[in-house]
């Protein structure tokens, strides 16, 4: 079957199998930031934004999001300029192996669009579904907090 | 000390950080290879069985199935998957495919198909007839008489006692423990048991293989050991090393789980047999059940001391469960002693020993900590128990008996990894500083023994001290090559393997520091057996110390070379020259930039490529040290354990990149916290792992702990590159004992079986009330 996806503002007409998951389709058309880990909606690695809300692409049928808008980390930076969350993750040591980072950035972005001044607890709660096996979480939580400050204009990048 | 450095000791951003945060295609699964065959494995549903008959013809006839291989199609070559240096201290007890299966998940057949769907169809259509054998699912049963022999095949070598399922055995004594115990005022004798753990790296094990334009086998793989992988593939596939290239791109976590060579041989075999590219990617369930897990261990521990707290004798006698295959069996067990016992170096007598046994459970292997946490749990907690017995603060007891700078322990020389060790005296040991700062941070004095209550909830604190090593001395070798470009930049080629630990970054920092250039002028390329020099790979906390020293040596050779060339170019004596900020200057004011110097030597003057290589093998393995503290709250109505705060201070020498070093300590601590409280493996009665996904196996998430405070103390290790020691593993050693000790402080309940489930706590509470 044919579907249309708007990925990071770019339209894609794609042939898919009816049972294909969004994760596989996005990877096939080149969005390799969308990564598979648990493949059972329990680690957050494959998170993308669907119409601005975080979803798990490993357990979302591609056919079910036909015609809708998807955002991945490939669309987060403005040319050479990184998004404040990307900057803060580098600055705070929030990435080690980096495999969880695209999913984390997308979940963090969805949080900050809703709540530009989240408390520590709100950050932990929003990102609780994003497993990281490397960092011990503290630097990632700090990074989201810092990115929010930058986005509020309270802190220079 | 750090102030004199320009690039090392600074929290530099990861050199690969931009690619990570932009989501660039840098991991093995991101390499597109449109014609790659999908490789899948048929796995045993039985824990122990013989294959009586295997029928693949029907499955082969399925559309898009290219071929299927069984034990009949592969050469019978014994090997170990261990991914260690050669010769490996692990038994050769594994075959690519065998007539016998030894755990639920053991590979039975390899399917190669054009599509995922066809491969899965084929798996369902292979008919296997098994003769089911009795299985051994309890490690304490394994050596009993009359039980089945798991490895009875004649081609195996290096197994300690096949007939009793003992993969390896180790025994050592310092002094006479029995006699010394007689002179002690108090003796604690206990048994501690520690369950296995999953690595749970987020990137599943996967590899892509193909033949290059001249027919050489290329393997792109998520591995910690590219050079060992090449050597092992050469052995199994009967292919010269010269015909194999192994490339490690970025990898999505390892933690020891990607040290064993697991997936590569299956894809490589398909590529060799079919001539086509092949890709193998394990599912999460396969990663859990059929790669490596941590060695489950049980120790009988005896500690004897005088009533004023002088520890005089320690004995650790245990059993370790290596599962169906013996990779890392002897060495992890030895590390349970060699990287814990030297901590308490004032003793008069020490015993360490036991058996590492086969069972029909998933094979155990390397895992961050590598036996040290399994040894530290009984050792630290028994000392903690002893402190309560003699009414001493457990921290004080550990403090007065532990090792300090300038001291040694006979264990260093007796116990290495799979062989004897090397004698060493601690040139850097800031354990006291770790203790003092950590004690202050957790507020030990005002919290310990206070059992602060809030309704049904009661709080307690616990501590644990730890050490690790920095590579395997006289075994681990790392090498580096540096070549210069005409803009004054340098290519740094290292065999070292960055697992996400940041080793590419700190190795570049070392080169940049020596060569006085900005970090951006050092371009790192690592882990490609065709291009980079040899390195054993990323394990045993070796990279900073071993590979780091190799990079420093290579950079110093380059620096010497630059002086020699500049001397001729400027017509000045070498002794008059100095290198600063990328310029070579003479005392009389003459100078030349590195860029000009290299350009001239490439094109016009004394033409040559400026490049140097260096290798390093550690003469010793300076241990990092740590003091950790846990504060817990236990709900006495429900048994629920809440970790309020975990504090860890470590001495890793000079932290070459403080933010990455603290990240190692934090990440390892969190993995230890998960093991202590949440991560629990359950097997069905047929030996099948039931907790094989992230729903049933609980990796800690952000809401599962209160606070994590990890810090480093000032230290300088004279034998390390710019004063550095290791930091990758030590953090995982302390959470289990520190949390166990905190639970005791809160409740008076001594948990001697990790992980610590709320159910067990509640059970003990109910028992106490009866």
């Amino acid at each position: 079957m044919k579907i249309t996806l708007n990925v990071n503002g770019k339209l894609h007409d794609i042939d898919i199998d009816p049972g294909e998951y969004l994760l596989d389709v996005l990877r096939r058309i080149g969005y390799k930031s969308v990564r598979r880990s648990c493949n059972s909606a329990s680690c957050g690695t494959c998170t993308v934004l669907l119409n601005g809300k975080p979803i798990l692409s490993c357990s979302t049928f591609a056919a079910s999001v036909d015609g809708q808008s998807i955002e991945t980390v490939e669309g987060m930076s403005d040319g050479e300029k990184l998004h404040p969350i990307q900057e803060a993750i580098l600055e705070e040591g929030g990435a080690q192996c980096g495999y969880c980072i695209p999913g984390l950035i997308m979940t963090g972005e969805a949080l900050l669009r809703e709540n530009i001044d989240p408390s520590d607890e709100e950050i932990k709660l929003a990102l609780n579904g994003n497993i990281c096996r490397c960092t011990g979480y503290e630097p990632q939580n700090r990074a989201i907090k810092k990115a929010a400050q930058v986005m509020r204009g309270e802190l220079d990048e | 000390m750090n102030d004199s450095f320009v690039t090392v000791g600074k929290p530099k951003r990861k050199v690969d950080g931009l690619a990570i945060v932009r989501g660039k295609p840098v991991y093995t699964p991101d390499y597109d290879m449109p014609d790659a065959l999908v490789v899948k494995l048929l796995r045993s549903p039985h824990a122990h069985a013989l294959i009586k008959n295997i029928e693949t013809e029907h499955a082969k006839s399925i559309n898009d199935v290219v071929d299927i291989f069984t034990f009949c199609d592969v050469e019978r070559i014994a090997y170990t998957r261990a991914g260690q240096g050669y010769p490996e201290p692990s038994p050769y007890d594994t075959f690519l495919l065998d007539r016998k299966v030894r755990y639920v998940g053991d590979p039975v057949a390899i399917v190669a198909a054009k599509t995922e769907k066809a491969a899965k169809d084929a798996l369902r259509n292979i008919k296997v007839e098994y003769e089911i054998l009795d299985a051994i699912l309890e490690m304490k049963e394994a050596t009993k008489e009359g039980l089945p022999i798991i490895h009875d095949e004649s081609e195996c070598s290096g197994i300690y006692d096949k007939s009793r399922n003992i993969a390896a055995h180790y025994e050592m004594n310092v002094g006479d423990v029995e006699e010394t115990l007689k002179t002690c005022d108090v003796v604690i004798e206990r048994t501690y048991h520690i369950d296995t753990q999953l690595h749970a790296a987020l990137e599943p094990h996967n590899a892509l293989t193909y033949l290059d334009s001249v027919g050489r086998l290329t393997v792109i793989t998520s591995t910690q050991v590219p050079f060992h992988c090449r050597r092992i593939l050469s052995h199994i596939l009967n292919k010269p090393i010269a015909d194999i290239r192994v490339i490690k791109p970025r990898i999505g976590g390892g933690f020891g789980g990607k040290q064993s060579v697991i997936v590569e041989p299956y894809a490589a075999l398909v590529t060799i047999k079919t001539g086509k590219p092949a890709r193998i990617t394990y599912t999460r369930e396969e990663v859990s059940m059929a790669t490596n897990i941590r060695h489950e261990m049980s120790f009988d521990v005896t500690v004897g001391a005088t009533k004023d707290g002088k520890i005089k004798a320690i004995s650790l006698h245990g059993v370790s469960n290596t599962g169906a295959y013996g990779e890392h069996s002897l060495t992890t067990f030895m590390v349970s002693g060699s990287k814990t016992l030297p901590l308490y170096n004032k003793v008069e007598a020490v015993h360490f020993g036991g058996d590492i046994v086969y069972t029909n459970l998933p094979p155990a292997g390397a895992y961050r900590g590598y036996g040290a946490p399994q040894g530290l749990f009984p050792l630290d907690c028994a000392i903690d128990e002893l402190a309560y017995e003699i009414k001493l603060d457990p921290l004080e007891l550990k403090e007065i008996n532990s090792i300090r700078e300038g001291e040694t322990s006979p264990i260093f020389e007796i116990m290495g990894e799979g062989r004897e060790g090397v004698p060493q005296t601690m040139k850097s040991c800031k354990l006291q500083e770790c203790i003092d700062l950590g004690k202050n941070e957790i507020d030990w004095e005002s919290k310990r023994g206070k059992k602060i209550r809030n309704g049904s909830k009661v709080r307690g604190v616990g501590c644990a001290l730890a050490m690790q090593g920095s590579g395997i001395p006289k075994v681990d070798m790392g090498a580096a090559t540096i070549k210069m470009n005409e803009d004054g930049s340098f290519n740094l080629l290292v065999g070292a393997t960055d697992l996400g630990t940041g080793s590419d970054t700190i190795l570049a920092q070392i080169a940049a520091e020596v060569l006085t250039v900005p970090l951006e002028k050092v371009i790192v390329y690592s882990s490609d057996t065709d291009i980079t020099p040899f390195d054993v790979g990323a394990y045993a906390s070796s990279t900073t110390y071993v590979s780091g020293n190799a990079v420093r040596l290579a950079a110093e050779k380059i620096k010497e070379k630059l002086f020699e060339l500049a001397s001729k170019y400027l017509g000045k004596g070498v002794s008059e020259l100095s290198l600063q900020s990328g310029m070579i200057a003479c005392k009389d004011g003459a100078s030349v930039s590195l860029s000009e110097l290299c350009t001239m030597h490439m094109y016009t003057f004394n033409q040559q490529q400026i490049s140097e290589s260096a290798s390093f093998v550690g003469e010793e393995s300076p241990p990092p040290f740590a003091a950790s503290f846990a504060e817990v709250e236990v709900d006495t109505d429900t048994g629920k354990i809440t970790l309020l705060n975990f504090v860890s201070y470590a001495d890793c020498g000079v932290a070459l990149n403080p933010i990455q070093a603290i990240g190692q300590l934090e990440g390892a601590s969190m993995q230890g916290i998960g093991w202590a409280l949440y991560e629990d493996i359950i097997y069905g009665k047929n030996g099948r792992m039931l907790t094989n996904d992230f729903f049933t196996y609980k990796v800690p998430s952000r809401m599962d702990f209160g606070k994590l405070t990890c810090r480093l103390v000032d230290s300088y290790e004279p034998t390390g590159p710019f004063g550095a020691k290791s930091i990758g593993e030590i953090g995982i050693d302390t959470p289990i004992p520190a949390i166990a000790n905190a639970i005791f402080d809160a409740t008076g309940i001594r948990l001697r079986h990790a992980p610590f489930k709320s159910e067990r706590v509640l059970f003990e509470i109910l028992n106490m009330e009866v």
Side-chain angles (χ1 to χ4, degrees):
Chain A
M1 62 182 287
K2 271 198 188 311
I3 61 166
T4 305
L5 291 181
N6 178 335
V7 187
N8 303 329
K10 189 176 168 198
L11 286 178
H12 294 265
D13 291 315
I14 319 153
D15 269 317
I16 65 157
D17 288 333
E20 260 192 294
Y21 287 104
L22 183 59
L23 167 61
D24 295 290
V25 171
L26 288 172
R27 287 188 64 82
R28 181 148 50 84
I29 62 175
Y31 297 95
K32 294 283 167 61
S33 75
V34 188
R35 300 207 163 92
R36 189 193 318 276
S37 177
C38 74
N39 212 34
S40 61
S42 48
C43 74
T45 304
C46 67
T47 305
V48 298
L49 301 189
L50 170 66
N51 304 323
K53 303 281 182 203
I55 58 150
L56 299 170
S57 63
C58 76
S59 52
T60 302
F61 282 131
S64 72
V65 298
D66 183 16
Q68 302 187 54
S69 157
I70 306 290
E71 289 167 80
T72 71
V73 86
E74 280 95 342
M76 287 288 281
S77 38
D78 178 13
E80 286 299 298
K81 191 173 160 46
L82 294 180
H83 185 284
I85 299 178
Q86 293 174 312
E87 280 287 350
I89 283 174
L90 292 180
E91 199 59 36
E92 294 294 326
Q96 285 184 28
C97 85
Y99 205 75
C100 72
I101 293 299
L104 175 92
I105 291 175
M106 299 322 288
T107 313
E109 167 70 2
L111 166 69
L112 298 187
R113 280 185 200 171
E114 262 183 24
N115 177 2
I116 193 60
D117 191 7
S119 66
D120 292 349
E121 283 308 301
E122 285 168 334
I123 290 171
K124 285 189 191 179
L125 187 61
L127 298 176
N128 199 40
N130 290 82
I131 298 291
C132 169
R133 192 56 158 167
C134 294
T135 62
Y137 296 118
E138 298 282 15
Q140 295 185 343
N141 297 343
R142 275 201 310 273
I144 300 295
K145 187 114 180 160
K146 189 171 179 184
Q149 281 176 296
V150 171
M151 288 160 80
R152 293 198 305 272
E154 292 169 14
L155 194 69
D156 288 340
E157 281 176 47
Chain B
M1 187 124 11
N2 291 6
D3 295 346
S4 60
F5 299 141
V6 177
T7 306
V8 305
K10 304 289 185 282
K12 294 286 178 185
R13 290 184 174 196
K14 280 164 81 83
V15 295
D16 44 3
L18 267 183
I20 291 173
V21 297
R22 287 174 184 269
K24 293 287 182 197
V26 290
Y27 302 87
T28 304
D30 303 340
Y31 284 69
D32 273 332
M33 184 71 70
D35 301 328
L37 298 176
V38 176
V39 179
K40 289 211 169 281
L41 303 179
L42 179 70
R43 296 182 178 282
S44 167
H46 304 296
H48 201 189
L50 289 170
I51 298 169
K52 285 173 73 180
N53 190 36
I54 182 160
E55 207 280 295
T56 59
E57 287 314 306
H58 177 56
K60 278 184 189 167
S61 70
I62 293 169
N63 202 23
D64 285 341
V65 172
V66 173
D67 214 337
I68 296 173
F69 308 106
T70 70
F71 69 90
C72 307
D73 307 304
V74 300
E75 203 178 333
R76 193 170 166 80
I77 298 172
Y79 71 108
T80 175
R81 309 193 301 176
Q84 297 167 304
Y86 181 81
E88 300 97 332
S90 294
Y92 277 29
D93 58 6
T94 306
F95 303 90
L96 196 48
L97 292 171
D98 199 4
R99 212 180 137 244
K100 190 177 181 188
V101 287
R102 298 176 184 82
Y103 70 99
V104 176
D106 217 357
V108 171
I110 304 167
V111 169
K114 288 182 185 164
T115 65
E116 177 105 5
K117 186 175 172 303
K120 286 180 179 165
D121 275 355
L123 292 182
R124 280 189 291 270
N125 283 285
I126 299 171
K127 298 278 173 273
V128 190
E129 206 185 316
Y130 293 99
E131 179 189 334
I132 298 172
L133 306 173
D134 286 343
I136 301 172
L137 302 178
E138 289 290 334
M139 70 173 176
K140 290 197 171 168
E141 306 277 301
T143 58
K144 287 187 180 162
E145 266 182 47
L147 286 179
I149 298 171
I150 296 173
H151 285 280
D152 47 6
E153 44 301 338
S154 60
E155 301 91 332
C156 286
S157 60
I159 298 174
Y160 179 74
D161 183 353
K162 285 182 192 176
S163 68
R164 292 172 59 223
N165 294 312
I166 303 176
H169 172 86
Y170 183 75
E171 194 98 26
M172 78 95 204
N173 291 291
V174 176
D176 187 331
V177 169
E178 289 288 306
E179 286 303 313
T180 310
L181 286 174
K182 287 178 192 161
T183 68
C184 292
D185 301 318
V186 53
V187 175
I188 293 284
E189 274 188 273
R190 299 286 187 267
T191 300
Y192 278 82
H193 189 115
I194 191 161
D195 285 347
T196 178
Q197 185 186 22
L198 301 184
H199 303 79
L202 288 184
E203 181 202 7
H205 292 61
N206 74 111
L208 172 67
T209 56
Y210 58 91
L211 300 178
D212 70 8
S213 56
V214 293
R216 293 172 71 238
L217 176 69
T218 304
V219 181
I220 300 174
T221 178
S222 184
T223 182
Q224 295 178 218
V225 289
F227 286 89
H228 296 337
C229 180
R230 179 179 67 170
R231 190 192 74 236
I232 292 167
L233 285 174
S234 160
H235 170 66
I236 312 171
L237 302 169
N238 249 333
K239 213 173 167 52
I241 280 183
D243 286 351
I244 304 172
R245 175 183 186 184
V246 176
I247 300 168
K248 179 224 67 117
R250 279 209 60 75
I251 93 168
F255 317 115
K258 291 169 181 167
Q259 185 182 347
S260 284
V261 175
I262 296 169
V263 294
E264 297 88 350
Y266 306 113
L269 183 86
V270 167
T271 288
I272 288 167
K273 294 248 187 195
T274 64
K276 296 197 169 71
R279 184 191 292 283
I280 187 164
T281 309
Y282 275 11
T283 62
R284 178 55 51 189
E285 291 74 16
E286 286 177 298
V287 172
S288 302
M289 297 168 70
T291 57
N292 269 167
I293 58 175
R294 196 190 277 281
H295 289 83
E296 170 197 17
M297 292 191 202
S298 178
F299 279 99
D300 295 328
V301 55
T302 308
V303 181
T306 60
K307 58 181 181 298
D308 57 350
K310 181 183 172 348
I311 299 175
K312 294 177 76 175
I314 297 174
S315 166
L316 278 175
H317 199 88
V319 54
S320 169
N321 183 356
T322 192
Y325 298 95
E327 53 256 37
H328 301 277
S329 52
L330 173 64
T331 40
T332 44
F333 186 72
M334 288 182 72
V335 166
S336 300
S338 68
K339 287 179 184 160
T340 59
L341 294 168
L343 261 179
Y344 297 102
N345 65 330
K346 319 278 189 290
V347 293
E348 292 165 22
V350 188
H351 165 79
F352 181 86
D355 292 326
I356 305 93
V357 301
Y358 289 115
T359 58
N360 293 109
L361 291 171
Y367 195 143
R368 193 179 215 168
Y370 204 76
Q374 292 99 311
L376 190 68
F377 177 38
L379 177 61
D380 186 277
C381 288
I383 293 174
D384 214 83
E385 294 201 47
L386 194 142
Y388 283 91
E389 203 77 19
I390 58 174
K391 300 190 170 47
L392 210 66
D393 175 348
L395 180 60
E396 193 188 331
L397 182 62
K398 293 170 195 178
E399 190 177 328
I400 58 179
N401 285 286
S402 49
I403 194 165
R404 291 294 182 275
E405 216 157 85
E407 296 179 3
T408 185
S409 158
I411 310 287
F412 285 120
E413 186 168 7
I414 298 168
M415 297 179 77
E417 280 192 32
R419 56 187 229 168
E420 71 285 358
V422 296
Q424 51 180 2
T425 299
M426 299 304 94
K427 298 189 176 81
S428 60
C429 174
K430 302 294 178 210
L431 196 49
Q432 190 63 51
E433 288 78 349
C434 293
I435 293 169
D436 294 343
L437 290 163
K439 182 180 177 178
N440 200 32
E441 177 71 31
I442 200 89
D443 202 2
W444 182 258
E445 295 296 352
S446 65
K447 286 178 177 165
R448 188 187 74 84
K450 300 296 187 298
K451 296 193 173 14
I452 299 162
R453 265 199 180 266
N454 176 15
S456 64
K457 293 172 180 165
V458 59
R459 293 186 173 191
V461 288
C463 66
L465 308 182
M467 60 173 282
Q468 198 78 31
S470 298
I472 309 171
K474 296 192 191 286
V475 174
D476 286 347
M477 191 272 271
T481 297
I482 300 177
K483 71 184 179 72
M484 193 173 185
N485 303 309
E486 63 263 54
D487 62 350
S489 67
F490 297 88
N491 292 103
L492 170 62
L493 307 175
V494 288
T497 306
D498 191 334
L499 314 181
T501 50
S503 69
D504 281 352
T505 307
I506 61 128
L507 296 178
Q509 284 178 270
I510 291 170
E513 186 71 40
V514 174
L515 297 166
T516 75
V517 296
L519 186 57
E520 299 70 46
K521 291 260 187 185
V522 180
I523 307 124
V524 193
Y525 184 73
S526 55
S527 316
D528 178 335
T529 59
D530 262 15
I531 295 172
T532 64
F534 178 85
D535 191 292
V536 287
Y539 56 84
S541 287
S542 62
T543 306
T544 297
Y545 188 74
V546 176
S547 316
N549 265 322
V551 170
R552 183 177 182 163
L553 290 173
E556 278 166 357
K557 281 167 88 172
I558 287 270
K559 194 173 158 181
E560 257 175 59
K561 183 86 185 170
L562 291 172
F563 281 141
E564 179 197 317
L565 298 176
S567 155
K568 284 184 198 144
Y569 183 68
L570 295 170
K572 311 283 177 188
V574 169
S575 60
E576 294 168 65
L577 301 176
S578 67
L579 172 64
Q580 219 167 13
S581 305
M583 291 287 287
I584 292 182
C586 181
K587 284 173 186 159
D588 69 3
S591 71
V592 58
S593 71
L594 293 187
S595 162
E596 183 187 340
L597 191 68
C598 184
T599 306
M600 297 308 287
H601 283 83
M602 258 183 197
Y603 299 108
T604 50
F605 176 83
N606 188 16
Q607 280 167 278
Q608 59 186 280
Q609 168 67 57
I610 302 170
S611 73
E612 294 290 349
S613 291
S615 307
F616 183 82
V617 183
E619 286 298 313
E620 50 195 276
S621 174
F625 293 93
S628 305
F629 298 81
E631 183 179 11
V632 301
E633 185 173 77
V634 179
D635 188 328
T636 52
D637 281 350
T638 62
K640 184 176 163 51
I641 308 157
T642 305
L643 180 66
L644 301 172
N645 193 5
F646 191 84
V647 172
S648 200
Y649 276 78
D651 160 13
C652 66
V654 170
L656 296 178
N657 186 323
I659 218 161
Q660 308 297 339
I662 289 173
Q664 286 301 303
L665 188 58
E666 287 173 330
S669 299
M670 187 53 55
Q671 231 167 5
I673 290 166
W675 190 15
L677 293 174
Y678 304 110
E679 300 178 29
D680 195 15
I681 291 180
I682 300 168
Y683 296 104
K685 64 174 191 278
N686 64 348
R688 182 185 183 83
M689 186 190 290
L690 303 177
T691 48
N692 60 12
D693 60 30
F694 287 164
F695 276 114
T696 51
Y697 185 79
K698 174 69 177 108
V699 170
S701 55
R702 273 162 236 265
M703 308 286 280
D704 288 331
F705 62 102
K707 213 172 132 194
L708 177 64
T709 311
C710 291
R711 302 213 174 105
L712 306 171
V713 301
D714 282 337
S715 175
Y716 186 89
E717 168 54 43
T719 67
F722 295 106
K725 303 188 276 191
S726 88
I727 189 66
E729 297 184 275
I730 189 166
I732 205 165
D733 296 343
T734 50
I736 286 186
I739 290 170
N741 296 335
I743 292 169
F744 177 81
D745 185 51
T747 62
I749 294 166
R750 200 44 94 168
L751 295 177
R752 299 190 187 91
H753 189 143
F756 313 124
K757 309 298 287 181
S758 293
E759 293 84 343
R760 278 178 189 157
V761 176
L762 184 63
F763 181 75
E764 294 294 333
I765 290 171
L766 294 174
N767 263 353
M768 279 165 75
E769 285 168 0
V770 167

